[in-house]
Amino acid sequence: AWQLLRRGIPVRLIEMRPEKTTPAHVTGGFAELVCSNSLKAEHLTNASGLLKAEMKLFDSLILRAAEEARVPAGGALAVDRERFSQIVTETLSGHPLCEVVHEAVTEIPDAPCIVATGPLTDGALASAIEKLPSMKSLHFFDAEAPIVTAESIDMTRAFKASRYGRGEGND
């Protein structure tokens, strides 16, 4: 959506939340991270670092929001989940060429469109996608990372250190 908008192309962005929720999402914001808050390593010696460098060249809203919402994470780019989602939501919703519609999509439109969905795709839309030519079934594989708050850690039994010796030591 962002890449179209910045090229002057009007976008109708349809998001089912907050009208319809999922078991994992808590807000109605765009780009809500529900597993890890890490966007992986930034070093140019690996694929995720190279991808971020390429995204930056294309003025990626996701990367810009991640850099604004950054939290310490050693050699990784990790974000404050709420701030990250807020930046993406406000940027897209506030763009004059972006019409935001909050409703569940149940079928693929008979017009040019981009379907960007994931592991929490509503059942009706997932069924519509499976009916497309060459589609037999959809599979999403992901791992759920626990969210741990600082207040819940007994610091008499734990210590602060940076992962792989990177960062400030308190990441």
Side-chain angles (χ1 to χ4, degrees), residues 1-7 49-65 67 91:
W2 177 245
Q3 293 301 320
L4 293 171
L5 290 168
R6 58 186 294 272
R7 287 166 175 77
L50 286 172
L51 178 60
K52 284 179 203 55
E54 291 175 357
M55 291 171 70
K56 191 171 190 170
L57 291 173
F58 285 100
D59 185 30
S60 164
L61 172 59
I62 297 300
L63 189 58
R64 188 177 346 137
E67 289 173 346
T91 303

Side-chain angles (χ1 to χ4, degrees), residues 47-108:
S48 62
L50 286 172
L51 178 60
K52 284 179 203 55
E54 291 175 357
M55 291 171 70
K56 191 171 190 170
L57 291 173
F58 285 100
D59 185 30
S60 164
L61 172 59
I62 297 300
L63 189 58
R64 188 177 346 137
E67 289 173 346
E68 277 187 55
R70 176 188 294 269
V71 295
L77 173 58
V79 300
D80 174 309
R81 298 164 189 258
E82 292 173 9
R83 180 75 183 120
F84 173 74
S85 176
Q86 178 186 22
I87 293 165
V88 173
T89 302
E90 289 175 356
T91 303
L92 292 173
S93 299
H95 196 286
L97 294 176
C98 188
E99 173 193 1
V100 177
V101 178
H102 291 284
E103 65 182 31
V105 175
T106 58
E107 53 190 52
I108 308 295

Side-chain angles (χ1 to χ4, degrees), residues 24-45:
H25 290 92
V26 206
T27 74
F30 300 145
E32 180 182 350
L33 300 174
V34 296
C35 291
S36 174
N37 71 326
S38 173
L39 303 180
K40 298 181 71 177
E42 294 189 284
H43 297 282
L44 296 178
T45 56

